[in-house]
Structure formats: C-alpha cells, structure tokens
C-alpha cells in the first residue's frame, strides 16, 4: 500500500501576526524533527503567541512523521509573561495563540496549565524532546527543569531558551546539572561553562542519560 506524502506547508513564523520576534532557535527545532521518528512525543513549555510552535508544527507536518506535539502554557497575565501586551491585558492571549497556529492545529495539542502542574500528567520516561521557555526567573526555571527532566526518555533531549543571555536561566541550569563543559564568551563578554547550543541560538541542550 502506497502512503501519500502530505502537502507541504510553507513556514509562516515570520508573519506580522506574531508581533514580537522572540523565536531564535529554528535550527534546534528542525534538528529534533530530523533526529526523532514516528510515535515520538515533544513538549514545548511557554508558547506565548505561537511563533515557535508554528515553526515546529510545520516541520513535523512536512516531515510526514507521526510526532505528538504538546504546547504547555497558562496563557494568562501571571508572572513570567512579557508585558505590557494588549492580548495579555484583554485576557485573550490563548485565543491569539489558537488563531496564529490555525494552519498547524492538526499537529498541536494545547495544554492550558501551569507548567509544573502539567508535568504531573506525563509518565516518567515518556517524552523524546522537552523545550523549556516559560518562567525565566531562577526559581521558575529551576522548578520547570526539576519537574520535566524525569519525563524525558533515556536518550531524549531536554533543552531551553535564553540560556545565552538570561542569568536566572543560566543559574538554574548550572544549579541542577553543574556548570557543563567548555567555555565561551557571550554577548556581554562573560565567559562561563556552558551547555550552549551549537548554532548560537541562545539555548541550553542536554541529552538525558540514566545509564
């Protein structure tokens, strides 16, 4: 039996509807779709207006792979959301996310919960890729890392945004995992041990190994 390839969707993550350009990691997302196969399960934590989710959705669709993709966010004006923003102030940020990601709604499963609470709904060792981009405070990021790391399979990938330029995120990563291997100089001229992504997209990346 011949399987018909899906009709390709053009990327639209740079469309004006996303407003703020906070998505800096297309190489990481594209590499995860290439690396993992059918029946993989991805989770994005902190989805805002759907710019990164839209990119991932298109990559998954165009790959033809059966990859589950959950988007976890509270979509509210709670601590951790950038602001001021008219969609937050109107209480319609979730509606904005849904509208922006309409073209890939068949790929995305929104999970409207606080991140740490949502993690409790996933079995340990059940996820292939988890990306953390929620609360950027030290405590918030640390709580997310601790909650989600056990959910990643042995050999899966845990990653997160703003490691390259956010002290709270960097401190949380180092507190949980140690200071990493190697040194590099960030845009502020500070050299430190790192889990920096190879593309310079401001992310930390680590492969989970429990052996």
């Amino acid at each position: 039996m011949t399987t018909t390839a899906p009709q390709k969707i053009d990327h639209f993550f740079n469309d004006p509807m996303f407003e703020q350009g906070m998505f800096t990691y297309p190489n990481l997302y594209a590499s995860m779709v290439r690396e993992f196969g059918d029946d993989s399960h991805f989770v994005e934590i902190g989805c805002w207006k759907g710019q990164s989710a839209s990119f991932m959705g298109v990559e998954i669709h165009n790959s033809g792979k059966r990859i589950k993709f959950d988007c976890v966010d509270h979509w509210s004006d709670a601590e951790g959301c950038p602001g001021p923003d008219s969609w937050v102030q109107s209480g319609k940020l979730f509606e904005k996310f849904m509208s922006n990601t309409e073209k890939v709604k068949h790929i995305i499963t929104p999970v409207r919960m606080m991140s740490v609470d949502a993690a409790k709904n996933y079995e340990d060792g059940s996820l292939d890729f988890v990306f953390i981009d929620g609360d950027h405070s030290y405590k918030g990021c640390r709580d997310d890392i601790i909650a989600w790391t056990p959910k990643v399979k042995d050999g899966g990938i845990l990653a997160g945004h703003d490691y390259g330029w956010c002290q709270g995120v960097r401190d949380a990563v180092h507190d949980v995992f140690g200071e990493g291997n190697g040194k590099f100089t960030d845009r502020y001229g500070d050299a430190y041990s790192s889990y920096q992504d190879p593309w310079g997209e401001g992310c930390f990346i680590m492969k989970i190994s429990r052996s």
Side-chain angles (χ1 to χ4, degrees), residues 29-47:
Y29 267 22
S31 73
M32 293 297 98
V33 176
R34 289 194 301 269
E35 178 170 342
F36 293 102
D38 285 340
D39 302 317
S40 297
H41 196 166
F42 295 177
V43 174
E44 178 183 81
I45 298 148
C47 311

Side-chain angles (χ1 to χ4, degrees), residues 22-29 32 41-47 52-53 56 69-72 115 127-134 136 141 144-145 148 152 157-163 165 169 197 199 201-206:
M22 296 186 289
F23 175 50
T24 67
Y25 37 95
N27 289 295
L28 170 60
Y29 267 22
M32 293 297 98
H41 196 166
F42 295 177
V43 174
E44 178 183 81
I45 298 148
C47 311
S52 56
M56 178 64 88
F69 181 39
D70 298 347
C71 291
V72 177
S115 169
L127 302 175
D128 297 276
F129 174 54
V130 171
F131 188 79
I132 296 173
D133 192 21
H136 286 55
C141 184
D144 280 345
I145 291 171
W148 287 95
V152 181
I157 300 294
L158 177 79
H161 196 212
D162 295 306
Y163 176 82
W165 43 74
V169 172
D197 68 87
W199 307 282
E201 294 179 332
C203 300
F204 68 87
I205 305 175
M206 56 195 65

Side-chain angles (χ1 to χ4, degrees), residues 146-180:
I146 290 171
W148 287 95
T149 298
K151 310 305 175 182
V152 181
K153 294 177 181 177
D154 189 24
I157 300 294
L158 177 79
H161 196 212
D162 295 306
Y163 176 82
W165 43 74
C166 181
Q167 191 67 48
V169 172
R170 189 183 309 162
D171 288 346
V173 171
H174 291 176
D175 184 37
V176 177
F177 296 109
E179 291 199 350

Side-chain angles (χ1 to χ4, degrees), residues 58-187:
V58 170
E59 288 290 307
I60 292 172
H61 173 88
N62 289 347
S63 75
K65 296 178 180 179
R66 299 187 305 273
I67 297 176
K68 295 179 182 178
F69 181 39
D70 298 347
C71 291
V72 177
D73 203 311
H74 46 66
W75 286 289
S76 71
D77 59 355
E79 183 180 0
C81 281
D85 182 271
S86 61
W87 293 98
V88 172
Q89 293 168 342
S90 68
K92 295 182 177 180
L93 183 59
F94 180 65
E95 287 79 359
K96 177 65 171 172
F97 171 86
M98 295 298 291
S99 173
N100 285 354
T101 58
E102 173 72 19
K103 291 181 182 178
V104 288
K105 66 180 182 181
H106 59 294
I107 300 291
I108 291 172
T109 300
V111 179
R112 194 172 187 181
M113 297 179 67
M114 299 298 289
S115 169
V116 172
D117 293 332
K120 299 171 186 176
N121 294 331
Y122 294 83
E123 296 291 332
D124 287 355
S126 64
L127 302 175
D128 297 276
F129 174 54
V130 171
F131 188 79
I132 296 173
D133 192 21
D135 188 337
H136 286 55
S137 70
Y138 164 78
K139 182 182 185 305
C141 184
R142 186 177 184 276
D143 287 349
D144 280 345
I145 291 171
I146 290 171
W148 287 95
T149 298
K151 310 305 175 182
V152 181
K153 294 177 181 177
D154 189 24
I157 300 294
L158 177 79
H161 196 212
D162 295 306
Y163 176 82
W165 43 74
C166 181
Q167 191 67 48
V169 172
R170 189 183 309 162
D171 288 346
V173 171
H174 291 176
D175 184 37
V176 177
F177 296 109
E179 291 199 350
N181 299 311
K183 297 277 188 179
F184 80 105
T185 302
D186 69 9
R187 65 181 181 177

Side-chain angles (χ1 to χ4, degrees), residues 190-204:
D190 299 323
Y192 51 88
S193 301
S194 78
Y195 300 92
Q196 177 79 4
D197 68 87
W199 307 282
E201 294 179 332
C203 300
F204 68 87

